[in-house]
């Protein structure tokens, strides 16, 4: 178990998942201050600060939720509004580290200019693969709610065969769907073939899309553009899991009358207990490993 004795860790924002993370950090010896974390159920030894700056003062690390901040620094999931500003980062201790699921470019640059190292926690495969399980279940739930037919025997397309796409494609296959999997790497398409899926390159999409009932996107780039969306059936549904703004032309989908949704934060929405267990198991290890890389203070 990671040892965090002598470390001051500040959590800014979060939901019930972060309450579990606070417990895990305190169990490992850390001093934890928080702001924007729900107060109900907060560990009695955690310091509930009056504002974000007080929570950050002297901390060796800031931990933001997996969804991170928007492009202006506003924490996406929080019980009180928080904007990550230079002024806030300035009160951290020297050699501090910022942990966030996603670190927007401006925040990475701001941190770098202050000598604060940034760590994108979603880059960690253990975290991302474990998180892919509630994400995939949530995406399937959304698809079920959006369609009047079963997943079984439907034509499903999964765009992107990374950590989330792979889990989702496997689950859909297990439910008896006909699964097409679009990937740009030949080895990913070979894996899809081995799994009994129908592999596709992105160039094959125009011929495949007209028969698709449900498309699930996991690629954080525009992969379902206007003309591709227009090639789909009006009865089709699109569930976009990719980080905002997703990979779908939502305006085209709306014009065509296709149900299309961006579905952020599925683990926290559909399985907060499991999602809390995942982050409280993996994040303390990531944090301890990153502290170990620091030169002595
Ligand atoms: P990942 O393992 O990096 O997978 C991303 C996939 O997208 C890979 O197959 C990658 O292919 C492909 N890709 C990236 N850019 C591409 C492009 N320009 N054209 C074609 N393919 C491209 O990431 P992940 O962990 O599966 O997460 C995928 C997305 O879902 C992320 O945006 C993540 O933030 C989001 N996510 C959302 C939820 C939710 O609740 N909605 C939950 C988990 C993750 P290569 O390997 O060839 O690069």
């Amino acid at each position: 178990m990671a040892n965090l004795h002598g470390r001051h860790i500040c959590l800014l924002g979060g939901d019930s998942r972060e309450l579990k993370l606070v417990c895990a950090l305190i169990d490992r010896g850390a001093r934890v201050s928080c702001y924007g974390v729900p107060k109900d159920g907060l560990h009695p030894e955690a310091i509930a600060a009056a504002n974000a700056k007080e929570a950050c003062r002297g901390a060796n690390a800031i931990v933001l939720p997996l969804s991170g901040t928007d492009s202006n620094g506003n924490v996406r999931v929080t019980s009180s509004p928080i904007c990550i500003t230079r002024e806030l980062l300035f009160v951290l201790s020297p050699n501090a580290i910022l942990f966030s699921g996603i670190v927007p470019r401006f925040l990475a640059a701001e941190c770098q200019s202050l000598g604060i190292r940034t760590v994108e926690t979603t880059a960690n495969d253990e975290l991302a693969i474990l998180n892919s399980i509630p994400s995939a279940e949530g995406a399937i739930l959304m698809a079920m709610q959006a369609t009047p037919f079963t997943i079984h025997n439907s034509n499903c397309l999964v765009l992107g065969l990374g950590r989330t796409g792979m889990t989702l494609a496997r689950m859909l296959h297990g439910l008896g769907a006909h699964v097409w999997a679009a990937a740009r790497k030949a080895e990913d398409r070979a894996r899809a073939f081995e799994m009994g899926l129908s592999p596709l390159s992105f160039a094959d999409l125009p011929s495949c899309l007209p028969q698709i009932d449900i498309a699930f996107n996991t690629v954080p780039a525009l992969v379902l553009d206007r003309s591709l969306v227009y090639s789909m059936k009006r009865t089709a549904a699109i569930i976009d899991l990719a980080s905002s703004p997703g990979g779908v032309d939502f305006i085209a989908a709306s014009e065509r009358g296709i149900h299309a949704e961006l579905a952020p934060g599925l683990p926290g929405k559909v399985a907060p207990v499991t999602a809390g267990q995942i982050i409280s198991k993996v994040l303390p290890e990531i944090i301890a490993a990153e502290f170990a890389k620091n030169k002595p203070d």
Side-chain angles (χ1 to χ4, degrees), residues 22-250:
V22 168
C23 298
L25 295 170
I26 290 175
D27 284 351
R28 287 158 180 79
R31 173 172 178 255
V32 177
S33 56
C34 334
Y35 184 72
V37 175
K39 286 192 180 128
D40 254 9
L42 187 61
H43 192 293
E45 287 174 34
I47 303 156
N51 54 55
K53 200 170 175 182
E54 284 317 307
C56 285
R57 198 175 296 283
N60 305 110
I62 299 191
V63 180
L64 303 181
L66 288 187
S67 53
T69 73
D70 66 15
S71 54
N72 297 315
N74 297 301
V75 175
R76 288 202 168 95
V77 176
T78 178
S79 58
S80 312
I82 302 171
C83 187
I84 308 297
T85 59
R86 191 176 175 83
E87 201 194 347
L88 200 66
L89 297 169
F90 202 71
V91 301
L92 294 170
S93 99
N95 277 341
I97 310 174
L98 179 140
F99 296 89
S100 177
I102 301 164
V103 181
R105 233 179 269 166
F106 93 91
L107 186 55
E110 202 71 285
C111 287
Q112 196 183 12
S113 74
L114 290 168
I116 296 167
R117 205 146 53 79
T118 55
V119 176
E120 280 204 333
T121 48
T122 52
N124 180 281
D125 282 337
E126 183 186 6
L127 184 68
I129 292 169
L130 290 173
N131 230 11
S132 74
I133 303 166
S135 307
E137 287 191 7
I140 291 170
L141 169 71
M142 292 186 69
M144 286 177 171
Q145 286 170 338
T147 54
F149 46 82
T150 57
I151 300 277
H152 179 268
N153 205 35
S154 66
N155 291 327
C156 292
L157 168 66
V158 177
L159 295 144
L161 264 191
R163 297 159 306 182
T164 308
M166 186 69 77
T167 305
L168 179 56
R170 199 191 309 282
M171 282 189 193
L172 292 166
H173 185 59
L175 285 171
H178 307 287
V179 184
W180 279 259
R184 59 183 172 181
K185 286 193 196 124
E187 59 264 39
D188 289 342
R189 297 195 295 272
R191 178 59 67 195
F193 176 70
E194 173 275 324
M195 289 165 66
L197 317 178
S198 304
L200 289 177
S201 68
F202 285 88
D204 298 327
L205 285 177
S207 56
C208 163
L209 275 168
Q211 59 192 312
I212 291 301
D213 298 307
I214 313 170
F216 297 89
N217 177 47
T218 70
V219 176
L222 183 61
V223 282
L224 286 185
D225 64 16
R226 186 172 196 81
S227 70
L228 289 174
V229 167
Y230 263 83
S231 73
M232 295 179 74
K233 295 189 252 194
R234 287 180 195 276
T235 53
I238 303 173
I239 309 295
D240 193 348
L241 286 84
S243 50
S244 178
V248 176
D249 186 331
F250 286 99

